[in-house]
Amino acid sequence: MLAAFTFNTAENLPIGLLELISESLRVSVSAVGLLVTGYGVTVAVASVPLAHVMRAVPRRHVLTGLLASLVVSSLVAALATSYWLLLVARLLTALAQALFWAVMGPVAVGLFAPGVRGRVVGALSVAGSLALVLGVPAGTWLGRQNGWPVPVAMPAVLGLVSLVTIAVLLPTTRPEEEAAAYGTTPDARRFGIVLAAGTLSATGAFAGYTYIVKFLGEVSGFPPSTVSALLVAFGVACLAGVSITGALLDRFPQAALTSAVATQAVGMLGLYAAGADPVAAVVFLVLMGGALGPVFMATQNAMLHCAPGRTDIALAANSGSYNAGIAVGAALGGLVLPLADVRGTFLAGGLLTVGASVVLLSGRPRHGPGPGCGGR
């Protein structure tokens, strides 16, 4: 959980430090924004190849190596005196994270009985969500007080704690012999459906969410100080959604995924239709926030059951496709923005999310669903 929190914090830290890094390194704010975009693209491209290359290495060795990479790359980033060195350090962290999400899930859930694995996935997702609610705001505050290198170096400290803990306590076993190395009910068709729905959902979400600040200011009429508070509320809603869904994953795996995607669609289309009313905007913003985290968490849980082969490869594919969806969604929103104003980005995103719901519903099994691959 600490490692998940640390990686997600490291990924998103530049969002709160854009202007500080821009002024310090004398580059444009948009160039600093590429530190986030390039990170996501790297994760999307590298997840499956890295998981395949490292498939035979004991997970304890892989995780300690990835955390060592996080420690070193974070220190290099904090000491960077040029934009290009900072970018290289960020991409090294991204490569480590690309494999971390593929390996971490099977290792963590494999330590527990199958009946509670959904709750384990939920706990890991809560830790990841805390990065947006706690890690990034704390890093932003630290950066304003002490300069941007201080928060950028903090993941090195947290990563070192995780590294030592895993190196000392995690058993060393061959990857194929671990308890969660393979799906409990392999189903190639279901795997493809969940992968497609998750990618569509991510694309839809970030077509709108990328421009949420502009929407809340121009359409809903909120002042900048209120927008900042609403972004915190969005993060809290995401954390609450992950916590609640995590408790239900083991009992209602299919319903949890379908409900999360449907709720995201309602939130986005509600913002499009009624976002000019401040009260309605807050309601639908919270709905969208409450669904965003659970969608990815529920697809990860499904992969642990439906993976047609090794679960680490399936999870890598899911993480890679989701990050690809984020990148495509942000680009799509940028194309829609000049054509249909910022409300149009939420209409496009909402319709894509509706498409994800249709994909899920069309793939519901007719007979005897197994856990995670069918549903209740």
Side-chain angles (χ1 to χ4, degrees):
M1 289 176 69
L2 178 61
F5 170 81
T6 304
F7 266 114
N8 270 19
T9 299
E11 177 181 5
N12 293 287
L13 265 178
I15 293 174
L17 304 172
L18 286 176
E19 293 183 356
L20 293 174
I21 296 175
S22 172
E23 293 173 4
S24 174
L25 299 182
R26 298 179 181 178
V27 295
S28 67
V29 171
S30 59
V32 181
L34 287 175
L35 297 175
V36 178
T37 305
Y39 195 108
V41 171
T42 300
V43 173
V45 172
S47 292
V48 173
L50 283 177
H52 182 75
V53 169
M54 303 298 288
R55 66 189 183 281
V57 181
R59 306 292 88 170
R60 175 171 166 266
H61 300 332
V62 172
L63 285 172
T64 52
L66 295 177
L67 288 164
S69 298
L70 171 64
V71 171
V72 172
S73 61
S74 296
L75 291 176
V76 171
L79 296 172
T81 55
S82 72
Y83 172 78
W84 294 109
L85 182 57
L86 178 59
L87 179 61
V88 169
R90 288 280 300 171
L91 295 182
L92 288 175
T93 307
L95 287 172
Q97 181 164 332
L99 185 55
F100 172 78
W101 285 111
V103 172
M104 178 264 297
V107 170
V109 301
L111 299 172
F112 295 84
V116 298
R117 287 179 178 176
R119 275 183 279 173
V120 178
V121 173
L124 295 171
S125 297
V126 165
S129 298
L130 274 174
L132 297 178
V133 179
L134 177 62
V136 174
T140 302
W141 181 83
L142 272 175
R144 289 172 180 167
Q145 301 300 314
N146 304 289
W148 67 265
V150 175
V152 169
M154 287 305 296
V157 178
L158 300 178
L160 186 61
V161 175
S162 298
L163 188 160
V164 172
T165 305
I166 288 173
V168 171
L169 298 178
L170 190 69
T172 302
T173 57
R174 297 174 63 183
E176 64 273 14
E177 294 175 353
E178 291 184 342
Y182 296 92
T184 54
T185 49
D187 186 337
R189 178 174 177 271
R190 184 66 188 164
F191 168 79
I193 287 169
V194 172
L195 199 65
T199 305
L200 275 174
S201 178
T203 304
F206 284 86
Y209 179 65
T210 305
Y211 306 96
I212 188 64
V213 172
K214 184 177 179 67
F215 182 96
L216 292 174
E218 294 183 3
V219 178
S220 304
F222 290 110
S225 58
T226 304
V227 171
S228 298
L230 289 174
L231 291 178
V232 174
F234 184 94
V236 171
C238 181
L239 181 61
V242 166
S243 302
I244 294 169
T245 306
L248 301 173
L249 267 181
D250 291 310
R251 295 183 61 195
F252 310 105
Q254 169 70 7
L257 176 55
T258 305
S259 298
V261 173
T263 301
Q264 179 182 302
V266 170
M268 298 195 74
L269 293 176
L271 283 168
Y272 164 74
D277 178 78
V279 175
V282 172
V283 171
F284 288 117
L285 181 71
V286 168
L287 279 178
M288 182 184 172
L292 190 60
V295 170
F296 181 67
M297 177 181 67
T299 59
Q300 291 285 86
N301 182 63
M303 293 296 157
L304 291 169
H305 295 287
C306 298
R310 285 268 294 269
T311 52
D312 54 354
I313 303 297
L315 288 168
N318 192 52
S319 178
S321 65
Y322 193 87
N323 277 277
I326 291 173
V328 172
L332 175 64
L335 292 174
V336 172
L337 196 60
L339 301 175
D341 71 45
V342 71
R343 287 177 70 242
T345 65
F346 280 83
L347 175 60
L351 292 176
L352 282 170
T353 310
V354 169
S357 297
V358 172
V359 169
L360 284 173
L361 292 173
S362 68
R364 288 182 69 89
R366 299 175 184 175
H367 307 289
C373 294
R376 292 181 175 87

